[in-house]
């Protein structure tokens, strides 16, 4: 198993783009076969946490259990989510909290742990430190996310108190995504207009400086595929979950 960053891109070019704009995309980001291996391991995952916000409180539901609900209960959940989304912050998608799984030793020997180790090895962290010109980065936390039809993530800035987030990253693991399916990552300017959009592109990493307003666009009802990615944050200071 070889999970590592490829050396196919000019680091100088990436650094210049990040300095000028506060965001950059890294195409063909992982070594040959790495993205395929991660995709193969997570695309067959059946159980996910279906997450959303309810009046400021994060909610986790078991996606398998939700799938067995009666239709009226599913409709009630969608109504609750959409009502809050209309006027405030809201999100609705599926996730696997691999940062927590690793540090709490919840799934010993599982492939999820290898992803966290890869993100926090010296070679990976040095790549992110050099690209973002942020030597203070000490660790990465992450989750695996799956956006399907009807899922979205409203505008937010990622600058959570006491998290010491320097930059955010998205490792895209989606194959053959269509632009008209939605689900793009949109970066906004100070006037809350879209400045840059990143379509989910297989084996591409999108990185952007925190804080900046951004969102993941609504995934259309006719979408039949999943938008898969590893999303996370590059943070400074002591890792609060490290032993």
């Amino acid at each position: 198993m070889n999970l590592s960053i490829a050396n196919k891109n000019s680091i100088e070019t990436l650094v210049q783009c990040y300095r000028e704009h506060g965001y950059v995309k890294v195409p063909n980001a992982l070594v040959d076969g790495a993205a395929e291996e991660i995709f193969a391991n997570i695309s067959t995952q059946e159980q996910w946490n279906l997450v959303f916000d309810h009046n400021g409180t994060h909610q986790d539901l078991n996606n398998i259990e939700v799938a067995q609900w009666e239709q009226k209960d599913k409709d009630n959940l969608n109504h609750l989510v959409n009502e809050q989304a209309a006027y405030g912050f809201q999100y609705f998608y599926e996730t696997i909290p691999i940062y927590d799984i690793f540090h709490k030793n919840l799934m010993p020997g599982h492939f999820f742990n290898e992803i966290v180790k890869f993100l926090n090895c010296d070679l990976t962290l040095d790549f992110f430190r050099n690209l973002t010109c942020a030597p203070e980065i000490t660790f990465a936390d992450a989750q695996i996310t799956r956006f399907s039809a009807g899922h979205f993530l409203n505008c937010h800035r990622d600058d959570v108190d006491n998290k010491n987030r320097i930059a955010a990253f998205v490792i895209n693991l989606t194959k053959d995504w269509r632009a008209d399916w939605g689900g793009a990552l949109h970066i906004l300017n100070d006037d809350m207009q879209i400045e840059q959009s990143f379509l989910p592109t297989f084996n591409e990493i999108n990185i952007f400086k925190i804080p900046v307003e951004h969102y993941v666009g609504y995934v259309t009802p006719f979408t039949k595929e999943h938008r898969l990615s590893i999303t996370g944050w590059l943070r400074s200071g002591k890792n609060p979950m490290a032993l």
Side-chain angles (χ1 to χ4, degrees), residues 45 47-49 94-99 101 112 142-145:
Q45 175 72 19
Q47 183 173 329
W48 297 72
N49 293 346
E94 293 169 319
T95 180
I96 300 172
I98 57 174
Y99 173 75
I101 287 171
F112 294 156
Q143 59 180 332
I144 301 172
T145 63

Side-chain angles (χ1 to χ4, degrees), residues 9-197:
N9 298 283
S10 166
I11 187 66
E12 292 80 10
T13 302
L14 297 176
V15 169
Q16 181 179 358
C17 181
Y18 186 82
R19 281 179 169 172
E20 289 181 0
H21 304 290
Y23 51 78
V24 66
K25 68 176 180 179
V26 184
N28 303 309
L30 305 185
V31 296
D32 292 344
E36 290 282 355
E37 184 169 9
I38 298 174
F39 173 81
N41 277 274
I42 68 174
S43 61
T44 57
Q45 175 72 19
E46 294 184 356
Q47 183 173 329
W48 297 72
N49 293 346
L50 179 62
V51 297
F52 62 98
D53 181 276
H54 182 53
N55 296 328
T57 301
H58 176 78
Q59 304 290 325
D60 283 279
L61 299 176
N62 183 309
N63 71 309
I64 296 176
E65 294 177 356
V66 172
Q68 298 171 348
W69 286 4
E70 293 184 8
Q71 188 58 48
K72 64 179 181 61
D73 295 321
K74 294 178 183 179
D75 292 342
N76 287 338
L77 174 60
N78 285 323
H79 177 76
L80 182 151
V81 167
N82 291 332
E83 280 296 296
Q84 182 170 317
Y87 300 104
F89 178 57
Q90 182 59 284
Y91 48 88
F92 193 47
Y93 60 91
E94 293 169 319
T95 180
I96 300 172
I98 57 174
Y99 173 75
D100 294 342
I101 287 171
F102 176 79
H103 287 289
K104 294 180 181 179
N105 197 30
L106 299 178
M107 301 175 70
H110 198 282
F111 180 77
F112 294 156
N113 299 297
E114 300 306 312
I115 298 175
V116 179
K117 291 177 184 178
F118 151 64
L119 292 172
N120 285 277
C121 73
D122 290 339
L123 288 176
T124 303
L125 289 178
D126 282 343
F127 171 78
F128 284 130
R129 290 174 184 128
N130 293 333
L131 191 155
T132 60
C133 303
E136 67 270 26
I137 291 171
T138 53
F139 69 101
D141 72 39
Q143 59 180 332
I144 301 172
T145 63
R146 185 170 77 172
F147 284 70
S148 306
H151 290 169
F152 62 90
L153 172 58
N154 270 5
C155 287
H156 62 293
R157 293 163 51 93
D158 276 354
D159 52 343
V160 179
D161 290 343
N162 302 316
K163 292 288 188 178
N164 300 322
R165 293 172 174 172
I166 305 298
F169 64 88
V170 181
I171 303 176
N172 292 287
L173 299 164
T174 304
K175 296 186 176 184
D176 304 320
W177 192 262
R178 286 172 32 178
D180 57 4
W181 286 348
L185 168 63
H186 301 288
I187 307 294
L188 306 184
N189 60 24
D190 292 340
D191 296 322
M192 296 298 287
Q193 300 296 312
I194 294 175
E195 179 174 321
Q196 178 67 45
S197 297

Side-chain angles (χ1 to χ4, degrees), residues 216-230:
V216 175
Y218 182 79
V219 179
T220 59
F222 53 83
T223 304
K224 301 300 182 183
E225 302 296 331
H226 300 299
R227 177 193 185 274
L228 295 172
S229 65
I230 300 168

